Structures are given as C-alpha cells and as structure tokens.
Amino acid sequence: MLTILRRIVLEFSQASVLDQALMRLVTQVKETLATQCCSIYLADHQQQHFLLMASNGLAPDTVGLTSIGFTEGLVGLVGQREEPINIANAHQHPDFMYAPEVEEEKFQAFLGTPIIHQRKVLGVLTVQQTQARVFSEHEEAFLVTLSAQLAMALASREAQGAILGRGQQNIGQQHKGIGGAPGIAIGEMVVIQPKADLSAIAVNQTDDITLQLQIFHDAVVRTLAEFCQLSEKLKSVISDSSLDIFDVYKQLLDNDSFKVEVIAKIKQGFNAQSALKLVVDGYVIQFEALDDEYLRERAYDIKDLGNRLLNHIQNQTEPEQDLPAKFILVAEDVSATLLAEYQHSGLLGVVSVNGSNNSHAAILAKALNIPAIMGIDYLAIRQLNQKRAIIDGYAYQLYVSPGAALVTEYQHILATELELQTQVKQAAHLPAVTLDGHAMNLMVNSGLSAGLEYSQNVGADGVGLYRTEIPFMNRNCFPSENAQTALYHTVLSSFAGKPVTMRTLDVGGDKSLPYFPIIETNPFLGWRGIRITLDHPEIFLVQIRAMLRANYQLDNLAIMLPMISSISEVDEAIKLINQAHYELRSELLNDQADCLARPKIGVMIEVPSVMFQLPELADKVDFFSVGSNDLTQYLLAVDRNNSRVASLYDFYHPAVLRALNYIAEHSSQLKMPLSICGELANEPTGALLLMAMGYQNLSMSAHSIAKVKWAIRHVEMQQLESMLAAVLRQTDVLNVHRYLHQQFVKLGLEDFVHGKWE
Ligand code: PEP
Ligand code: MG
C-alpha cells in the first residue's frame, strides 16, 4: 500500500497539467480502494466553496462546474470539521445535499478526508460506493495519509497559480520564508533563470586536451575578473565587511584543489565543461548531504561558481534582458553574485526559494538595504514572472498578486516608513531619554549583517554584540592570531572610547565553518558555541589572545561567552582567558604589560538553565547579556530556522516575556549590569518593554537605532511600567500583540507597530 501511495503522490507532483494530474489521481485511488467513485474538490477561499476538480464516478460534465459551499453538504462538513467523515449511508445523513446533476443517487457509502496544508483546508478527497457500508480502518488510513501528502504537492501548485486560475486571479497568495532582509517592497516580479546550467550538461570526452585546458584557464581568468567587477560595483554602495563574501568565490577559484581536480579530469579526456560538471557535482553532493545549514548553503555558492565558469566556457553572448524600471528579483537560488549583478536603483526586493538568514545573499541584501525573503521552500517560481507582489521583509512574508486592499495597506506602510525614517533620523544624535528623563544605552550588533555598523553615525553608544563568526566563515582555514588581531583592532578602534562587547566564536547550530564541518542530527542541541571552544582550547586561546592584543591601549573590550548552560563552563572559560592574559603579559615588557588590561567578562543568557543559576554566575562574571533569539527558541522548543513552525516562534509569547522580566528582576537584585542583544530589542515594542523591565543596554542592528531612540524619546517611564504590568498578565501571545498595538496607538506610536520597519 505504501508503495502505491508513494507512486500516486510522485506521479501527481511530476505531472505538468493539473486537470490531468487530478484525473489520474482519482482513477488510481478508485482502483486501489476498489470503489465505484473517487472525486477531488479544491477550496476556493475567495468564493467560499469547494469546486469539483476531478471525478471518476460522478457525471463527467459536472467537473469544473459543480461547487459546494464551505458550509454545505458532506464535503462542506469534512472541510468544516477538518477530519475524515466515514458513513455507511450518505443519503440518511442530515448534512447530505442532493445535487441531481452529479448523479450520485446510486452511491450510499461515503468517505471524505480534508486536504490540509499549514492549517488551511485546500480541498476534500472523497470515495463513494453503492453498497451501504462503513469504509474499513485500513481504507480510511490510506485516504488520510494520501491527503496529507497531497497537501504539500497542492500547496506548491497553488503557489504556481495553477489551482485557482479558472477565470479568477490568485488574489493574495501568501508564502512565508525563514529569513531575509527587513523592509517592504511592492512591484512586479522578474524571474531569473541561471545563464548557464551545469546540470543540463551531458558529459563528453575529447581528444584535444590542450585546447580544453586553455578554454578552462581562460574561463577562470574571466570569472575572476567578473567577481572583481561585481565587488567593485558594490563598493560604491556599501563599504564594509559584507563585501568579503566575494572573497569566498575568489578563494574557491584560487583554491588549487578545485582547479587541480578540473584539470585532472580534462587530462583524463573530458572536455572543459564536462570536467567542471563532474568536479562541481562532487562538491555539491558532499555539501548537500550535510545537515548543517551553513555548509549546505556553500553548495549554492559552488553551484553558482560552476554556472558562472560554464557561462565563460560556453562564451555565450546573452541578449540584454529587458528589465522593468522597477522590479523584484526572484530566483531559485539568489546568490550574492546574482544580487550584485542585478543591483541597481530599480531593484526593489529579492525572493529566493533556497537560502536562509545565513545566506550570503541575505547578508548582502541587509547591507544594501534591499528587502528580501529567503527559503520559501515550496514556492514554484516559473509562473511568477511579471506578477505583482508585496515583500514584507519584517515578517518574511510574500504576497503574490495581492488584492487591492492589501496593496493599499502596504503602500500606506511604505509611505509611513519613508516619512518616519526621515523624521526619526533627525533625532538620531539626540540622547535616548524618555520624556521624564530616564536614559537608555543603545548599542549596535555587528558582525553578521553589515551596513552602518562601523560608522559612528548611527548614534550608538557602543557595540553590544560583535559576532566573530563571519570572519571565520569566509575563509578556508581558521584565521591566524595576527589576522584576528588586525580585524578586532579595526572594530575596537572605530569605537574607541565606547564599549565593544566581542562574543567568542559561536559556531554550531545553524552556523558552521566550511573547513570544520559538524554533522549532527540536532545541531541546535548539540556541539555549539562555548561547548566547541572549550573542547578546542587551541582555537579559544588564539581568539582570546587576538582580542586582548587588539585591545592593547584602547581598553574598550568586553568578552562575552555564548551558549553557557552550566557554571563549570564559565570557570573553564575564565581560566583560559586568564591564561591567555598571563601569557601575553609575560611576552611584554613590564610597562607594556601594565597596559594590557584584563577586560570585563560576561555571559549570554540564552539557554534557559542559566536563568536558574544567576546568583552563581553573578559571582563569576561582570555582566549578563540576554540572547533573546536563542532563549525564545529553547524556551518554546521552536527551531528558529524551520519555516513549518515559524509562526510559533514569537518573542512576545507570555513565557518569553515573563522569562525576560525574571532575568531583569534577578539581575537587579544581584546588581549585575544587564543587556540584551537579540532581535527583540530591534522593535520599538520590544525595546520599550525591555526598558520598563530594567534592561540597561539594548543592542540592535544599526538600522534600528534611530527608530528605537525616537520611540523612547516620546514616552514616559510610568506609561511603560503600566504597559509592562498589563503585558505580563496576558496569557496568550495574540492578546499580547493586540494589547501592545492598542497601547502604541494611544501613545501616538501606531506607525511603529503597524509597519514593523527599520
Ligand atoms: C541570540 O541568540 O539572541 C543572539 C544574539 O545570538 P545569535 O542570534 O547569534 O545566536
Ligand atoms: Mg544565540
């Protein structure tokens, strides 16, 4: 049975014409269950009815015409109850609706199962039989399983616009991604296909090895030149570390083993493009097989590199693409290079089927201030070309062919955003003080996303979180102590006189190093952050030495330890920090040694266990900084990178807010300086609640500083305290949102919650 089921679903997913696919499906089900009728109805949420899309058993001329209201008949009942209905005699059921045109009088037994995707009823699958009997448990289980699997395939077709295309627009289809870049974009989508496609190359042999070697060599030279040109192009728009992304490509190309492998294949007799395909495929298979998300994304980089090399091998001259003046770029894999290529003033936003927040394209989009959505994994893009869309890069939400009301709403949000951006920027250099004189330190998060971080112009009081992972990721071996020292020195000296909190290497989970793969079933619960660096003191000590050396005579460094879950980890980390400090001092002359300060050390509060060890931690460290991204993930048991559960991941869940308040109350009793550096601080609602809780430093992306400052400058502490008290009484996350929305309207800050913007 399982094999049949798999075959039916596979055939359905692969068929290109929906009507035929549905017809084949009902026929196969009818045969498998040996019934006399099988039909499929699909939901039309605009019209509030189910449309008969295919049937083997009902009158054929009613297919595509007969509809049943959402609250009508047995089909409607299946949809409403969202559960199977299995009855021996349908005619006797109170909900039975007589529709003479379908000619179903002869059928008595009825079994219907709903087809549900992400809580939305997409349709109903039914089987009917003349004999009055209840369908067996076995038959019911088959239909339920089939419907569950069909849901995924149907959701994908719905995305292509194939389902409701019968004379109506696919108004307001909505798709949620797992990452991206903030901002709103409204415009026409342009679907970009790769210029050259290695996967379409048939492997061929040749006799002329010398010529093929020359072709490959020329392609490498031209591809390298192309990367330089693309990164040069962006230099005029951004001036920060996100451009390092292009180094990854250059390194891959410079990487001898990659080139040597291709050359070896050519020498074995393969032509240049076949040799390239064989080598790239080999790398891609290795990377794609890895559980680790960061490494999997390097497979996209390699594919992208392969396609670009192929394009130069084929030496095709592409016709200039006619792009609309303003457009949203859509592609299966939006790579950093593709983004760079299409970056110009008309690029409104980006949608990529693959990728996540860690994608190089997402990092670059943030730096370029282009709204983006990554990782809508069931989105079929072929039919999206030239369709209108809205990108909500705050909620990672894409609306295809949105209705007029939604467009108007988002146009309003966009206009308000632009207006407010101008308005709040004027206050960017004023202190973050409430109307009644309560001050707040606003710091920047730096390292992962780039942009304004290195600039002093955002009105930040320092760096609350410097993520050291990216410089480790963008290379093919661990950076040396000298390389790290130079990099950290740049960061510390750009904020000279202001505190900079550097976090020790936090890889594992969704972040991994290409040269240090970690393959685990549950990476977020596995070898992550401090767990790795304590197991590898040689890596930890080099990083600490580099930080201490970079801090020499600047003295604005604080060191922060990620993923702490036990006191012993803090003891061990401090021991290593002391060791590095002692060793460095002994390498210096006496008076220099005196200048080598031992920085403040803090821990991240992001694993729930440490919430209940705060007094013990307070005895050992100088500050706490809450990582609300992970704290939310671990408290709610929701993977922060899983699109299926994305709607459950919410910082405003009452348990998360109560946990944050608990930490603030206990830190205050312990007189421990308390910061927060997770995404929650980016939102004015979150920032104001945290301020009321007693957090002293809010660390956020550079783009958020001005708006958070603006919000703080327009409220009184007392208002915030009563808002917090009411929020902490809420038991449901939706009520928290509703309440905060109401309060922001009352405070005259409604635009900050309406369009969650940066
Ligand atoms: C966090 O977990 O809130 C945090 C700031 O760290 P990261 O997002 O890098 O895990
Ligand atoms: Mg974290």
Side-chain angles (χ1 to χ4, degrees), residues 23 26-27 30 35-41 51-64 66-68 75 91 96-97 99-110 124-129:
M23 196 56 217
V26 291
T27 306
K30 184 180 145 183
T35 60
Q36 280 119 19
C37 179
C38 175
S39 315
I40 185 160
Y41 298 80
L51 188 65
L52 178 63
M53 296 290 287
S55 178
N56 187 327
L58 298 183
D61 53 356
T62 56
V63 167
T66 292
S67 61
I68 302 176
V75 168
H91 299 266
F96 179 77
M97 193 180 77
E101 70 279 11
V102 297
E103 298 169 11
E104 62 179 340
E105 302 80 5
K106 51 188 177 291
F107 302 124
Q108 303 214 53
F110 171 95
V124 173
L125 185 62
T126 65
V127 284
Q128 289 167 277
Q129 203 158 22

Side-chain angles (χ1 to χ4, degrees), residues 503 506 511 528 562-563 604 606 627 629-631 640:
R503 180 173 73 182
D506 184 20
K511 284 175 257 155
R528 244 201 104 176
M563 276 297 288
M604 289 197 71
E606 53 184 347
N629 305 340
D630 276 316
L631 189 64
R640 58 196 257 194

Side-chain angles (χ1 to χ4, degrees), residues 324-632:
K326 292 198 180 298
F327 64 97
I328 291 171
L329 171 77
V330 182
E332 205 68 43
D333 294 310
V334 175
S335 60
T337 56
L338 191 75
L339 184 53
E341 207 176 311
Y342 284 87
Q343 193 279 329
H344 71 74
S345 55
L347 181 60
L348 299 171
V350 171
V351 177
S352 180
V353 174
N354 296 312
S356 71
N357 257 334
N358 285 330
S359 306
H360 286 154
I363 293 168
L364 201 57
K366 281 179 199 156
L368 289 166
N369 232 340
I370 297 174
I373 307 178
M374 318 295 294
I376 310 184
D377 53 8
Y378 57 89
L379 187 69
I381 58 173
R382 261 179 307 159
Q383 301 187 21
L384 297 184
N385 204 27
Q386 295 185 330
K387 281 206 172 138
R388 201 155 191 234
I390 298 173
I391 288 186
D392 181 341
Y394 301 107
Y396 307 143
Q397 197 86 32
L398 172 74
Y399 300 91
V400 176
S401 302
L406 199 63
V407 173
T408 314
E409 191 182 328
Y410 269 97
Q411 274 165 342
H412 171 72
I413 294 173
L414 197 57
T416 317
E417 223 181 70
L418 293 174
E419 200 181 301
L420 278 174
Q421 266 174 13
T422 325
Q423 211 178 10
V424 300
K425 267 186 193 144
Q426 288 160 6
H429 295 281
L430 300 171
V433 181
T434 59
L435 293 170
D436 51 350
H438 289 267
M440 182 54 131
N441 289 324
L442 302 187
M443 326 276 279
V444 278
N445 285 351
S446 172
L448 250 191
S449 67
L452 305 165
E453 285 92 333
Y454 293 98
S455 136
Q456 294 282 21
N457 288 335
V458 292
D461 299 308
V463 177
L465 165 65
Y466 176 75
R467 290 179 165 104
T468 52
E469 293 80 68
I470 280 285
F472 277 74
M473 285 170 173
N474 288 346
R475 55 186 71 227
N476 46 26
C477 60
F478 282 105
S480 67
E481 184 178 317
N482 281 345
Q484 290 188 57
T485 307
L487 182 76
Y488 303 152
H489 185 78
T490 315
V491 181
L492 291 171
S493 53
S494 1
F495 281 87
K498 291 183 176 178
V500 173
T501 302
M502 290 197 169
R503 180 173 73 182
T504 60
L505 191 63
D506 184 20
V507 290
D510 60 341
K511 284 175 257 155
S512 173
L513 306 174
Y515 46 88
F516 190 66
I518 305 162
I519 299 157
E520 292 178 318
T521 318
N522 270 321
F524 274 117
L525 299 181
W527 207 38
R528 244 201 104 176
I530 199 75
R531 298 172 184 178
I532 296 181
T533 46
L534 287 180
D535 285 351
H536 280 279
E538 76 286 11
I539 298 170
F540 190 72
L541 282 168
V542 168
Q543 185 175 44
I544 299 295
R545 281 175 62 95
M547 287 180 182
L548 296 176
R549 283 174 60 197
N551 189 38
Y552 182 67
Q553 289 183 331
L554 282 166
D555 210 8
N556 58 343
L557 166 76
I559 295 178
M560 183 157 74
L561 308 170
M563 276 297 288
I564 293 290
S565 56
S566 314
I567 304 297
S568 60
E569 290 164 339
V570 181
D571 287 333
E572 288 170 56
I574 291 179
K575 200 169 133 223
L576 289 171
I577 295 172
N578 288 342
Q579 179 186 331
H581 186 241
Y582 176 79
E583 282 168 8
L584 271 178
R585 278 179 66 103
S586 42
E587 287 166 24
L588 292 167
L589 298 172
N590 272 354
D591 50 340
Q592 288 174 322
D594 291 341
C595 294
L596 191 79
R598 182 188 179 279
K600 288 201 160 77
I601 300 171
V603 285
M604 289 197 71
I605 309 291
E606 53 184 347
V607 179
S609 63
V610 286
M611 282 175 52
F612 307 103
Q613 304 178 76
L614 295 176
E616 293 84 351
L617 282 176
D619 284 344
K620 303 191 182 279
V621 297
D622 305 301
F623 64 93
F624 295 154
S625 184
V626 174
S628 52
N629 305 340
D630 276 316
L631 189 64
T632 304

Side-chain angles (χ1 to χ4, degrees), residues 18 42-45 117 120-122 151-165 170-175 378-380 383-384 387 400:
L18 179 69
L42 293 187
D44 183 336
H45 289 269
H117 180 70
K120 186 174 160 196
V121 177
L122 299 182
M152 195 68 180
L154 274 171
S156 159
R157 283 182 179 271
E158 192 187 43
Q160 292 177 45
I163 286 181
L164 298 178
N170 300 321
I171 295 176
Q173 283 172 25
Q174 218 172 306
H175 308 282
Y378 57 89
L379 187 69
Q383 301 187 21
L384 297 184
K387 281 206 172 138
V400 176

